[in-house]
């Protein structure tokens, strides 16, 4: 059994595309985090909704993606960089699970802000985990970038 899980939240498919590439290269299981209420598909409206949720520390209920992580040792956690932090569905996932003894590998997509506070926020929520260096890419990336990153963190493929 493959014990690699790739969990992600993606509104405009950039993070989903990166998650898929990681799954292809690692053989891991993909799992999309879907909140009980959808965000607007119009960018400015979605940005207001997200900013409001983040400022309130809101963690939406997940209707999909929060199945058990017990069978997985390595968990890639992906989020778009939303106002320098994690998308609220990813924070929900982190707060609903125990990552003790697991290896966490963050990844994110961004429009110029890099990781922002994402890696730090994951580390705060998963203090008893081993956290490997992540990858932050813009909406466009190559499979070679992912391959090079996996080699750099010495992840066993």
């Amino acid at each position: 059994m493959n014990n690699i899980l790739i969990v992600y939240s993606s509104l405009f498919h950039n993070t989903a595309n990166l998650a898929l590439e990681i799954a292809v290269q690692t053989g891991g299981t993909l799992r999309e985090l879907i909140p009980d209420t959808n965000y607007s598909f119009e960018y400015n409206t979605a940005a207001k909704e997200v900013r409001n949720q983040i400022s309130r520390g809101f963690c939406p209920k997940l209707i999909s993606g929060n199945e058990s992580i017990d069978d997985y040792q390595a968990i890639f956690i992906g989020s778009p960089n939303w106002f320098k932090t994690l998308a609220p569905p990813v924070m929900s996932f982190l707060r609903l699970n125990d990552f003790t003894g697991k290896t966490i590998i963050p990844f994110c997509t961004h429009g110029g802000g890099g990781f922002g506070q994402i890696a730090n926020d994951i580390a705060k929520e998963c203090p008893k985990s081993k956290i490997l260096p992540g990858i932050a890419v813009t909406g466009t990336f190559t499979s070679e970038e992912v391959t090079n990153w996996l080699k750099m963190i010495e992840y066993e493929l």
Side-chain angles (χ1 to χ4, degrees), residues 42-58:
E42 197 278 313
Y43 180 81
N44 289 330
T45 305
K48 287 177 188 165
E49 293 168 357
V50 168
R51 186 186 298 268
N52 179 276
Q53 287 186 353
I54 290 170
S55 69
R56 293 185 296 129
F58 177 75

Side-chain angles (χ1 to χ4, degrees), residues 2 5 10 39 47 52 56 58 63 65 71 75 89 99 119 128 132 141 146 154:
N2 184 325
L5 179 64
S10 186
Y39 294 103
N52 179 276
R56 293 185 296 129
F58 177 75
I63 58 169
D71 292 338
I75 304 173
F99 296 91
K128 296 179 180 174
L132 297 181
F141 63 91
V146 175
E154 298 179 350

Side-chain angles (χ1 to χ4, degrees), residues 70-85:
D70 292 348
D71 292 338
Y72 300 97
Q73 181 53 40
I75 304 173
F76 288 80
I77 299 177
S79 176
N81 174 338
W82 282 357
F83 304 101
K84 300 181 181 170
T85 191

